[in-house]
Amino acid sequence: MTIAFVHGVPETADIWTALRGHMSEETVTISPPGFGAPVPDGFGCTTDDYLAWMIEEVAALPGPVDLIGHDWGGLHTLRLAMARPDLIRCWISDVVGLLDPAYKWHDLAQSWQTPEMGEQVVGMMAAAPAKVKAAQLVGASMPEETALAVAEMMNENMAKAILPLYRSAAQPRMAELGEDLSKVGTMPGLAIVAEKDAYTGGDELALRAAARAGAEVARLPGLGHWWMCQEPKKGAELIEAFLAKVRS
């Protein structure tokens, strides 16, 4: 049995450290190439490349596997659940609303998806001092210790991974990826809705997509994109309560 956490962009597995410390069972993290892990030769960093990578990673874990994803890690989780439901027992994601047809990428994502502008933006990110990047993350609700660890890895390696990933998921591609969302209803799923998350499309899209996915919904009032850092104990309790129901 494995409880696995996967993070998103521009992040590292450090975002899960505090929450995992409150879990009563052993857990593991999976770091996507470019985001705290090396990029293998020939790896294209598109959403389809990450799906293939996730399938290999999860298939190698002792089962049954309970998969928890945040941000792009939440999208990788949902894509795996749609493509290979045999590999996991249940899923948890905080970005299910991104697979609603009406989802519109946030401003930063759209800048990354824009030729030339994207190169300039990620170049500035990679070149900025770690303290500057950490301060920006702290301003978005990430604790300083976590932000400093993440900022150290917001480098050229990460910058090169961001552009192909986001460009491979520019609309209407995201809407197309969500067409099979109902397939994940064959297993237990939990859609986490952090009500102050400005990047995931808002309540309406999240609830609509969660209904299509046949998922339970857990609301986190007052919490934002990095809810697992803001209230790690609450996040761990929420996850463990859901897993207990799955196992019963």
Side-chain angles (χ1 to χ4, degrees):
M1 181 179 72
T2 305
I3 300 171
F5 290 86
V6 57
H7 60 272
V9 180
E11 300 168 350
T12 67
D14 296 282
I15 67 162
W16 293 117
T17 301
L19 185 150
R20 293 174 65 215
H22 290 286
M23 297 284 288
S24 61
E25 300 178 56
E26 291 294 322
T27 65
V28 301
T29 58
I30 305 173
S31 293
F35 303 96
V39 178
D41 291 341
F43 189 80
C45 295
T46 68
T47 181
D48 288 342
D49 291 319
Y50 282 104
L51 172 60
W53 164 83
M54 275 282 285
I55 289 172
E56 289 187 7
E57 290 287 319
V58 173
L61 296 173
V65 177
D66 303 316
L67 192 58
I68 300 111
H70 162 67
D71 189 82
W72 260 105
L75 283 173
H76 300 328
T77 293
L78 289 165
R79 291 207 65 195
L80 181 140
M82 287 187 279
R84 289 294 306 274
D86 57 301
L87 293 180
I88 59 175
R89 173 167 55 184
C90 69
W91 60 267
I92 299 175
S93 173
D94 60 5
V95 292
V96 67
L98 272 65
L99 293 178
D100 187 272
Y103 178 71
K104 181 180 179 181
W105 280 109
H106 54 85
D107 290 347
L108 180 57
Q110 290 189 50
S111 73
W112 287 335
Q113 291 166 344
T114 304
E116 296 186 10
M117 180 187 295
E119 280 75 7
Q120 292 176 3
V121 173
V122 297
M124 291 171 61
M125 178 198 78
K131 287 186 177 180
V132 172
K133 291 179 278 199
Q136 293 172 337
L137 295 172
V138 169
S141 78
M142 187 180 288
E144 185 175 11
E145 183 178 358
T146 305
L148 286 169
V150 171
E152 289 291 343
M153 298 302 294
M154 293 172 66
N155 51 26
E156 187 175 348
N157 191 45
M158 185 180 288
K160 289 180 179 179
I162 286 173
L163 297 185
L165 175 58
Y166 274 85
R167 289 172 181 178
S168 70
Q171 292 292 18
R173 176 64 171 151
M174 283 295 292
E176 294 168 355
L177 294 178
E179 289 176 356
D180 292 331
L181 187 57
S182 61
K183 288 183 177 180
V184 303
T186 60
M187 74 186 75
L190 178 66
I192 293 177
V193 182
E195 294 185 348
K196 289 192 174 182
D197 191 336
Y199 302 104
T200 55
D203 280 12
E204 182 179 349
L205 301 193
L207 296 177
R208 193 160 63 202
R212 288 177 55 214
E216 291 188 30
V217 174
R219 289 179 174 272
L220 295 176
L223 299 186
H225 191 63
W226 286 297
W227 52 271
M228 74 296 297
C229 298
Q230 291 177 285
E231 294 283 352
K233 183 178 179 182
K234 183 175 182 178
E237 291 172 346
L238 183 157
I239 290 167
E240 291 199 320
F242 176 71
L243 296 182
K245 285 191 290 184
V246 170
R247 297 169 184 174
S248 64

